[in-house]
Amino acid sequence: MFPYILTFFLSFIFLKIATKTKKKKLLPIMLSVVPLIILAALRSDKIGTDMQVYIIPIFESACNYTNLSDFIENSGVEYLYSLFTFLSTRISKSPEFYLGIMNAFVVLPVTYSAYKLKNYSSILMIIFLFCMYMYNNTLNMQRQGIALSFSFLALAFYIERKYIKGLIVLCIGFIFHTSAIIGISIPFLFWFTGKYPFKKYKFSYIDRKSTR
């Protein structure tokens, strides 16, 4: 438990420093969550229900393959996850490197989303909620974590009315894991809130008109 508390504390301190300036810059904010990535990279292979189910077995299998198409055909998981695994083993056969890069695909999209949503919510609050409610779960469901993180980034793009970018990001998440299909509801949610504003029903929501 102590390593998690220490890592969260360090990330919050770095993030607080990075967001203290009036002009919040992206790079310091992204670097502030590096401790979260390092913690995931150095964790025991007993932490995370998916570790022994497919993460380590697929990683070890990729280390033994020399042909990408053969590996993807036999991996049994989504195409982009297979491609990522194979390419990471070409760079390093260290499982720590693999786990770290994999978790970066979870943490960095969430952090970038928080940065993009800084006019609507505190960056620190979004990352705090992520650490408290999602971070540990992503260690158990790695592919789903990546898919959900990309879905969250798609939401940020939709709020900015950048619909094509949002759709592209959503498709990337879907190719990592099909659970990103839930993000398909995002465009319909925006259509619904535009046609039937929640303000009329005294609900809290992000007003699309304010993004124009």
Side-chain angles (χ1 to χ4, degrees):
M1 181 62 71
F2 177 73
Y4 290 91
I5 295 173
L6 177 61
T7 302
F8 292 167
F9 178 76
L10 288 175
S11 286
F12 295 154
I13 292 297
F14 295 152
L15 193 58
K16 182 65 176 178
I17 295 171
T19 57
K20 197 172 183 179
T21 58
K22 182 176 290 186
K23 188 175 182 180
K24 299 177 177 64
K25 294 186 177 180
L26 177 60
L27 182 58
I29 291 172
M30 298 295 277
L31 290 176
S32 67
V33 296
V34 168
L36 299 177
I37 298 172
I38 294 175
L39 177 63
L42 300 180
R43 74 186 191 268
S44 165
D45 60 5
K46 302 294 190 296
I47 298 177
T49 53
D50 285 346
M51 286 288 280
Q52 298 300 327
V53 175
Y54 71 85
I55 293 178
I56 297 302
I58 289 178
F59 168 75
E60 292 175 345
S61 176
C63 289
N64 296 322
Y65 271 88
T66 56
N67 185 281
L68 173 60
S69 60
D70 287 344
F71 172 69
I72 291 176
E73 183 178 348
N74 294 292
S75 65
V77 293
E78 288 80 356
Y79 174 83
L80 202 52
Y81 185 82
S82 298
L83 177 62
F84 156 73
T85 302
F86 185 84
L87 293 179
S88 69
T89 59
R90 302 309 99 175
I91 300 172
S92 172
K93 289 187 168 46
S94 165
E96 290 79 16
F97 174 82
Y98 174 61
L99 294 173
I101 297 299
M102 188 191 308
N103 194 256
F105 276 94
V106 176
V107 175
L108 295 183
V110 170
T111 307
Y112 185 48
S113 302
Y115 174 80
K116 295 179 76 62
L117 296 173
K118 62 183 180 295
N119 294 328
Y120 304 98
S121 180
S122 163
I123 297 174
L124 189 59
M125 179 57 69
I126 293 176
I127 300 303
F128 173 80
L129 293 174
F130 166 73
C131 289
M132 294 298 104
Y133 296 103
M134 187 176 173
Y135 179 80
N136 285 351
N137 287 329
T138 63
L139 301 181
N140 292 320
M141 305 178 295
Q142 199 73 66
R143 287 182 297 154
Q144 294 92 325
I146 295 173
L148 290 175
S149 294
F150 275 90
S151 297
F152 186 47
L153 181 55
L155 172 62
F157 278 120
Y158 272 105
I159 290 173
E160 293 182 331
R161 302 178 65 82
K162 297 177 180 177
Y163 303 120
I164 300 300
K165 289 184 178 180
L167 183 59
I168 291 172
V169 167
L170 194 60
C171 288
I172 293 173
F174 180 79
I175 303 173
F176 263 110
H177 193 272
T178 53
S179 60
I181 193 70
I182 194 172
I184 293 294
S185 63
I186 295 174
F188 296 102
L189 177 63
F190 269 74
W191 171 82
F192 184 80
T193 56
K195 191 173 180 63
Y196 306 104
F198 286 174
K199 190 182 295 183
K200 186 168 68 174
Y201 303 104
K202 297 182 180 181
F203 283 103
S204 174
Y205 82 117
I206 295 174
D207 192 344
R208 290 169 58 187
K209 293 180 181 178
S210 66
T211 63
R212 295 178 182 175

